Amino acid sequence: MTNSLLFTPLELPNGAVVPNRICKAAMEENLAEEGQLPGQALFALYERWAKGGSGMILTGNVMVAPDALTGPGGVVLQKQTPIDRFARWAEVGKSGGGQMWMQINHPGRQVYKAMGEQAVSPSDVPVDLGKFSNMMGQPRALTEPEIEAIITRFADTAQQAERAGFDGVQIHAAHGYLVSQFLSPLVNQRTDKWGGSLENRARFLLSIVDAVRARVGPAFGVGVKLNSADFQKGGFSFEDARQVVEWLNDKALDCVELSGGSYESPAMQGTTSEDSPEQTSTEKREAYFVKFARDIAHVAKMPIMVTGGITRLDVAKDALEKDAAGFGVAMLGIARALAFDPDLPHNWEAGENTEVVWPEITWKSGALKGLATMSVTKAQLERISQGKDVKPNVSPLGALLADQFRTARRTKRYKKWRAKAA
């Protein structure tokens, strides 16, 4: 057995106690049933993770608007959505004794063209994926009333999550989604109060936090997932992230998770569009945002969680070590490793299976490599959701093709749902 800090409880600012420092970080499952609702597949998947011993479980991103999904199998929770299935989801997620939080999100311009919806963004700047750019639609700039309406949608979804029995919500402000787009000077080219200075670009996020906090109880957790940087020249920088965290100090947050990157620069997969000393080797890619997180912990009043590439127990232990000034990361978000070993927390506490291995994809195309990486992970989620064992040695090409087939089928179902609601 290990006596690592990894397995000591953490008390959050709202008084809730997380039994250990491992959080099942958000992954996009695309497993919603008809009506974009959680169903048996998600219940089985999250019950498996709950049994695995994670101190906190974060759902894959739940959408706040029906016309803005990151994928056709995404879950949507609106003000008028019946919450019975969400209550069941919360119940199974908490069945292992850990916290169950819902990540809430709006993708903004990062919506696939095949979905048939009009993408929106702070400005009409399209996603640049090189020769794959035509996968995304041309976004239009949001009007001010639309911005205010989306802020309200985040608050509606958070209130519904609390009613359903979730322990908290995490506002997704990273990975190039809508809140992150407002923060980015490359994407946000507005000249009104929502753009220009960092203070104006952060207004959308801070307004969402205020709206959510006003609609939920003080014991309900509220967190933010923030890019430590988006790893694009002239984009959202580490200095920007540090300042945003200082502004968030006054917002009664219970946790800030630090990650990085976007569809254009997928640092969360160990790849960026600009050279970074943190991305130069396989060894350094593990816990590749820890250095940023420790630095930001110097100014943060809330616990800091870091997510990104942790696969080994010794790396996890090191990530929680405090720096010379006594500052450090409070919790670790682990995503892909928990797809390949859902029992990871229990195994690591027992000193077993201390390194999680998955197929290494060496394709030259960064975009295809990113899609295949996600597909191999989704293949494990599909298996677990069906009560099957993990199969680490799946073919990346086979997983990618299978995922594309499932996506096409779910896109057809999504469009039918949208047409019925029109």
Side-chain angles (χ1 to χ4, degrees):
M1 298 289 285
T2 176
N3 294 316
S4 167
L5 179 62
L6 198 57
F7 299 100
T8 61
L10 172 67
E11 183 174 352
L12 300 178
N14 67 352
V17 177
V18 183
N20 62 53
R21 307 304 179 91
I22 295 176
C23 171
K24 194 293 290 181
M27 287 178 279
E28 185 176 10
E29 311 97 358
N30 255 315
L31 290 172
E33 293 190 351
E34 188 170 351
Q36 310 307 128
L37 295 169
Q40 189 52 47
L42 283 171
F43 301 156
L45 178 60
Y46 279 78
E47 186 171 23
R48 186 72 183 79
W49 276 323
K51 289 178 179 177
S54 293
M56 179 184 285
I57 293 176
L58 272 167
T59 70
N61 47 181
V62 172
M63 302 298 136
V64 303
D67 59 346
L69 278 64
T70 55
V75 174
V76 178
L77 178 56
Q78 303 179 79
K79 184 177 182 178
Q80 69 273 24
T81 305
I83 63 168
D84 294 1
R85 292 197 190 193
F86 291 90
R88 175 62 180 156
W89 197 10
E91 181 184 17
V92 299
K94 296 194 287 186
S95 62
Q99 293 256 309
M100 176 69 162
W101 285 39
M102 179 187 292
Q103 185 184 80
I104 58 179
N105 189 21
H106 189 297
R109 67 180 188 151
Q110 289 185 168
V111 172
Y112 291 104
K113 187 186 297 184
M115 301 280 285
E117 304 287 357
Q118 171 62 62
V120 294
S121 189
S123 306
D124 60 355
V125 179
V127 181
D128 182 4
L129 295 177
K131 62 182 179 180
F132 297 101
S133 295
N134 63 356
M135 292 172 60
M136 301 288 174
Q138 169 65 45
R140 68 165 177 79
L142 287 161
T143 65
E144 285 206 58
E146 288 174 328
I147 292 171
E148 297 285 359
I150 291 173
I151 292 169
T152 299
R153 281 188 172 276
F154 273 93
D156 290 340
T157 301
Q159 187 173 41
Q160 287 280 69
E162 183 179 33
R163 288 182 57 217
F166 284 82
D167 295 302
V169 292
Q170 182 191 68
I171 299 157
H172 201 332
H175 298 175
Y177 296 122
L178 184 61
V179 182
S180 182
Q181 290 161 33
F182 270 89
L183 290 169
S184 168
L186 296 177
V187 183
N188 185 348
Q189 299 178 2
R190 301 180 72 95
T191 57
D192 58 10
K193 70 178 184 178
W194 304 100
S197 67
L198 178 61
E199 183 177 12
N200 280 357
R201 287 183 278 117
R203 190 185 306 276
F204 185 59
L205 168 60
L206 299 178
S207 298
I208 290 171
V209 174
D210 285 341
V212 167
R213 203 19 112 191
R215 296 272 289 279
V216 299
F220 186 72
V222 178
V224 167
K225 183 168 188 171
L226 185 70
N227 273 358
S228 53
D230 60 19
F231 296 95
Q232 291 177 286
K233 289 182 174 66
F236 186 74
S237 67
F238 167 75
E239 290 74 20
D240 292 339
R242 186 185 179 102
Q243 177 60 70
V244 170
V245 169
E246 290 192 63
W247 287 329
L248 289 170
N249 280 336
D250 301 324
K251 302 295 181 183
L253 283 186
D254 296 292
C255 183
V256 167
E257 177 187 354
L258 291 173
S259 185
S262 66
Y263 285 16
E264 293 175 325
S265 184
M268 57 281 196
Q269 296 176 5
T271 308
T272 69
S273 64
E274 65 174 26
D275 292 334
S276 166
E278 299 254 320
Q279 307 293 317
T280 55
S281 70
T282 300
E283 182 176 319
K284 286 187 177 181
R285 280 200 298 270
E286 288 194 86
Y288 36 71
F289 302 119
V290 171
K291 176 182 179 296
F292 298 105
R294 284 187 182 137
D295 288 345
I296 286 179
H298 281 244
V299 301
K301 293 180 181 177
M302 75 294 286
I304 294 294
M305 177 167 74
V306 66
T307 298
I310 297 172
T311 62
R312 293 184 293 157
L313 176 57
D314 58 346
V315 173
K317 290 179 179 179
D318 289 346
L320 288 173
E321 291 293 322
K322 291 180 169 56
D323 64 17
F327 294 95
V329 172
M331 193 165 12
L332 302 180
I334 298 179
R336 266 185 291 168
L338 274 162
F340 285 84
D341 180 9
D343 292 316
L344 178 147
H346 284 328
N347 285 336
W348 281 7
E349 190 170 19
E352 300 172 354
N353 196 23
T354 58
E355 180 176 3
V356 181
V357 178
W358 54 64
E360 185 173 357
I361 300 170
T362 57
W363 298 357
K364 290 184 179 180
S365 167
L368 283 177
K369 179 180 176 181
L371 287 172
T373 298
M374 289 190 290
S375 297
V376 166
T377 302
K378 285 181 182 178
Q380 310 309 320
L381 305 185
E382 289 271 352
R383 292 183 64 83
I384 298 170
S385 74
Q386 296 166 11
K388 299 177 182 177
D389 292 332
V390 168
K391 185 180 178 182
N393 61 340
V394 296
S395 158
L397 178 59
L400 178 58
L401 292 174
D403 187 43
Q404 293 300 306
F405 174 77
R406 286 191 297 267
T407 297
R409 188 177 71 242
R410 289 166 180 160
T411 298
K412 185 176 180 180
R413 187 182 68 189
Y414 167 77
K415 286 183 172 180
K416 185 178 178 181
W417 175 68
R418 287 286 291 146
K420 189 183 298 183

